[in-house]
Each structure stands twice: as structure tokens, then as C-alpha cells.
Amino acid sequence: MLNIGGLHQGVVIDHIVAGMAMDIYDYLELGKLDCCVAIIKNASSRKMGRKDIIKIEGPFALDLDTLAVLDPNITVNMIQDDTIVEKRKLRLPEKVTNILRCKNPRCITSIEQELPHVFRLTNPEKRVYRCAYCEQKYKESNK
Amino acid sequence: MRHVISPLDLTVEETDDILALAGKIMENPEKYAHACEGKKLATCFYEPSTRTRLSFEAAMLNLGGKTLGFHSADSCSASKGESVADTIRIISCYADICAMRHPKEGAPFVASQFSGIPVINAGDGGHNHPTQTLTDLLTISKLKGRLDNLTIGFCGDLKFGRTVHSLINAMVRYPGVKFVLISPDELRIPTYLREETLDARGISYKEVSRLDEVMPELDILYMTRVQKERFFNEEDYIRLKDSFILTKKKLENARDDMFILHPLPRVNEISVDVDTDPRAAFFRQAQYGVYARMALILTLLGLAGKEY
């Protein structure tokens, strides 16, 4: 069993689907941070079997809500003085840009590559995002 | 700067104001014959269209304005790879208002983000066609005298028909409206429309597969074309197509004050013997379309309340 040391101050992004940590690392642009970042892949999990975890050290400002768009099961724990001070509940953002991609071949984004892919949350309960241009519902299989 | 990209960009109040203005124009067209003098409408049509483009042009000419534009993607700089955003920036320098049709969904919305002049969506693929909806609303309100407490039957291709979806979305905003949805199983309204619009608002509706059985209930019958290419196989098409053709015979048990609408073009879904029936309103609907577009142009140019 690999041990990664505790965190004095920072964020633990937990319950990431195994294999997805690097996608989230890239999406959050963690490579640009100066602080210490640990990526734990394939950690054992009673709930998930295997999972990924990311630990980020230090105070910083990150828009973590968009993680809820990528994976609703992700949990975020804020750590201060070695203890969890907040279990952050991720809220689905009203609008996301260049996170989801519209795959509708009839959408204007299919021919104008420079347009940002903008999606709006139209049904928070059912987690429905629709393309701001063609209003097509985003489907996971479109990822 | 106001744009009309979706029928729901206009509130009920704004929609009603436009319909009222269209009514005034119908009663006294001479009064509005110079209302847009000195103004120019750009018709930017990236795909061919007969009715919509000519209707827009007729509307602007009736208001004393002028028109310019292009009528296919081949005849504009899109063929050289220019983006919609750049095109509308340039058109904004030449005209006062733009009507845009584009085969790709969302293109007029993109235009509205970069435009210096009001943009009207004149149809974007299978997505929105707000001036058809205004036309339908004006036709219904003029023929029936109201937009509330009506039973509206939609018949034919309810799955892909953008005019049906837009009109349902617009009509649910009026009280007491019921829908009868007549289509083959394969062409029923999309789930999102059923769940997010009809069920979510508690709207009364039923889905049936035969036109004749519901005919006596209808105040309005909105016909659409059942296209062969929408079916998985030819047998299904041949088996079902006749159920969705309106004939004089099927009209026998319809109310005398029911009206038949169709966004046109009609192919064979309304038999020509229906054309002479006083309830056939689909050609009058095209005339109403000009008035609806005149009222919308005046409104978006800020000329609606002016003295001419």
C-alpha cells in the first residue's frame, strides 16, 4: 500500500473514477500551480472498487464547481491545520464554456471551429445541459 | 439591441403587442407604407427559401424600406470560409436590420452576439423559426379571435417539425390551451418537449394515431408533412402515410369554425379538394406572415409606437 502524507492545508479531490485523475489535473490546469500536487491512481475504495484521488497543497483559488459537470460523484474536502474544515458540496454551474463539446452535426459549432462550446444548465435535478447554440442536450456518451 | 432568435425571446406581452400591431397594419396598410423609409433589411440566406425570404422582402417593401442580401451560401463570402461572426459585422455596416437563414442550428444566435443591428432568425436548420411562430399565432388569433382556451391538433411529423415545437412552446403560455397530438409512433413529439414543456406545466394533451377520431374536438388543425425519409422502411411509410392525409371526407365531422393551418410547402398531406373549403386557412396564413414580419421589423427598429 502506497502512503501519501497528510495535508496541512489544501484540498482533497476524492472519489474520482479510476483513470480520470489526469483529465481533471489537465482541466483544472494544476500543472500551472507552484504548489505540491499528488495524484493517487487506482486507490482501493469500498464504494467504487478503485478510485483516483488528487491532493493539492496550499491556499489557492480554483473553480471546483465545474468538477460536478465532469463527474457528479466527486467529493471535495477542504483541509486546514490537518483537519477537514469543509466538505464542499459542488453545485452545477449555470453555464460552462469549453468543458463539454457539442456533437450535434447540425450545430454551427460543427463548422465554425473557433466558437467556444457553451452549455447552459436547463434542468438541475436531472443534470441536463443544453448547447447554447443548438439547444441539443448533452449526453455522456458524447464525451 | 433586441434580436429574435427563438420565439421565446419575446415575452407574452411583447408577442401580443406585435400581433396587435400586425392587426393594425392589416386594417390600414397605407398608414405604414412609409414607416421604414430610408431603412434597409439585409436578407442573409445561407440556403434557398422561397416563402420566408420573399415574405421578409415583401414586408420591408410594404413598409417603404429597401432590401439587399444573398440567397445561398455559394453567393456570399461563406464560400470563402468567412465566419458568421465576421459576415454579420460587415452586414451591420450596410443595413439597419438583418433576417438570417442558415442550415446550421445556432448560426443566427452567433450572429446576434457580434451584430450591430437587430438579427431575426429566419430559420436555423431544424431548430427555430420564430417568424413562422408569429405567423401561426397571428393566424390563429385573427381567425379564432383569441389565443387562449383553444384545442389545437397537430398532425403528421411531430418529431422533427420545428414549427410544431415552436408553436407548442409559444401556445403553452396562454391559459386553457389543450393539444391533440396526431402522429405515427415513430414521429411522436420528442421526450424533452413532453416532459419539460407539457408535463412540467401541467398542460392537457393527448397523443393519438388517427386523425378522424379526434376531428370533432379541434378548434385548429395544424397539418405538417410526413416525409418518407423519416421512416426506417418503406412499408411503414406506405402503411402510415394515408392516416395523416387530410381529405374533404375526413373534414365531414370537423366543426364549422375549425381552421386548418400548414406551414407550407404542402406536398400531398392536404388533398387539393380541401383548398376550397372555407376552413382551409393555409394560404391566408402566408398573407398573415407578411403582416407579422412587418410588425416585427417595426418593433425591432424601435418604430412601433411612432407616428408615420
Side-chain angles (χ1 to χ4, degrees), chain B residues 21-95:
Chain B
L21 177 59
K24 286 182 194 166
I25 296 169
M26 284 169 66
E27 285 162 20
N28 192 0
E30 293 79 17
K31 183 184 166 191
Y32 299 87
H34 304 284
C36 282
E37 223 155 55
K39 302 285 185 189
K40 292 188 286 288
L41 166 76
T43 51
C44 300
F45 277 56
Y46 288 80
E47 65 177 2
S49 150
T50 315
R51 276 163 305 282
T52 306
R53 179 170 63 82
L54 294 182
S55 180
F56 266 109
E57 291 185 357
M60 194 53 165
L61 295 172
N62 287 348
L63 291 166
K66 290 190 165 62
T67 69
L68 69 166
F70 54 85
H71 306 135
S72 80
D74 295 340
S75 59
C76 74
S77 47
S79 62
K80 298 174 193 161
E82 187 176 60
S83 66
V84 168
D86 284 1
T87 301
I88 194 67
R89 284 183 177 114
I90 302 306
I91 300 290
S92 298
C93 304
Y94 303 154

Side-chain angles (χ1 to χ4, degrees), chain A residues 48-141:
Chain A
M48 301 169 70
R50 291 193 308 170
K51 65 177 181 178
D52 289 358
I53 304 166
I54 298 176
K55 294 187 177 187
I56 312 162
E57 187 185 57
F60 54 82
L62 281 178
D63 178 12
L64 296 170
D65 278 341
T66 45
L67 292 178
V69 181
L70 300 172
D71 183 347
N73 298 313
I74 284 176
T75 58
V76 173
N77 293 330
M78 312 303 283
I79 313 288
Q80 243 172 34
D81 299 327
D82 302 307
T83 53
I84 298 172
V85 291
E86 183 191 352
K87 283 183 178 288
R88 174 80 61 88
K89 194 167 166 53
L90 299 177
R91 286 193 326 167
L92 287 173
E94 289 294 318
K95 179 179 152 185
V96 291
T97 302
N98 290 335
I99 294 173
L100 310 175
R101 290 193 71 79
C102 185
K103 298 289 181 184
N104 176 6
R106 300 179 303 277
C107 180
I108 185 66
T109 54
S110 70
I111 57 164
E112 297 211 350
Q113 313 301 330
E114 76 287 358
L115 286 171
H117 283 241
V118 181
F119 278 77
R120 292 184 200 286
L121 181 65
T122 58
N123 187 335
E125 282 169 26
K126 293 192 174 174
R127 305 173 46 82
V128 175
Y129 277 91
R130 289 190 182 279
C131 173
Y133 305 98
C134 68
E135 295 183 276
Q136 181 103 331
K137 183 178 175 177
Y138 177 76
K139 290 184 186 143
E140 291 290 325
S141 57

Side-chain angles (χ1 to χ4, degrees), chain B residues 181-227:
Chain B
L181 307 166
I182 311 140
S183 72
D185 257 2
E186 294 86 336
L187 297 176
R188 289 168 64 191
I189 59 162
T191 308
Y192 77 86
L193 192 62
R194 192 179 302 113
E195 289 178 358
E196 293 178 21
T197 302
L198 299 176
D199 293 340
R201 286 171 170 261
I203 303 294
S204 171
Y205 70 96
K206 63 177 174 183
E207 297 184 89
V208 299
S209 56
R210 289 194 66 84
L211 176 58
D212 32 12
E213 69 192 39
V214 292
M215 194 69 95
E217 302 170 30
L218 306 179
D219 294 305
I220 295 287
L221 172 59
Y222 197 100
M223 294 293 299
T224 64
R225 192 151 45 102
V226 174
Q227 291 166 280

